[in-house]
Amino acid sequence: MKRSSGIIERITIAPRTTDPWQGISADVIRRFVDVLCAQQALPKELLCAYRADLEGLDRWLIETKQRTLISATDEDVREYISVSLSCLRAF
């Protein structure tokens, strides 16, 4: 369940389907971090945090939506952020 404006809603879980992009997320994340490293020279710790955030989102998408980073919708990402913020607030 998630909270939205004080109202508790059910998180919908998509039916199990095979995402054609499943299995390549690790490579896409690695390439993204490599580009950030080359173009922006960000600190290693920040790049590690970016990688961890993307890996967490990818795991959540696979477990709850049967999608990956590549096939995720804007709504999927908004829902993940909402769930994450709710968890952090509760903590």
Side-chain angles (χ1 to χ4, degrees):
M1 287 194 209
K2 68 178 181 176
R3 280 190 181 263
S4 176
S5 305
I7 299 171
I8 296 177
E9 303 171 9
R10 284 203 170 275
I11 296 174
T12 57
I13 297 179
R16 295 243 177 234
T17 59
T18 303
D19 186 327
W21 297 104
Q22 196 162 359
I24 66 165
S25 293
D27 188 49
V28 171
I29 292 169
R30 182 187 52 77
R31 289 174 185 229
F32 174 75
V33 171
D34 288 349
V35 168
L36 283 179
C37 183
Q39 289 181 346
Q40 299 182 18
L42 298 174
K44 183 178 179 179
E45 297 79 14
L46 185 57
L47 293 172
C48 288
Y50 281 12
R51 178 181 284 120
D53 287 345
L54 291 171
E55 288 169 348
L57 171 57
D58 190 57
R59 274 191 310 276
W60 183 84
L61 287 164
I62 290 168
E63 292 170 6
T64 62
K65 304 291 182 179
Q66 288 68 54
R67 294 188 183 114
T68 62
L69 288 171
I70 297 156
S71 58
T73 65
D74 290 344
E75 182 58 35
D76 294 335
V77 176
R78 279 192 287 278
E79 185 174 340
Y80 174 75
I81 292 168
S82 174
V83 169
S84 296
L85 287 175
S86 294
C87 175
L88 292 171
R89 284 186 189 116
F91 182 73

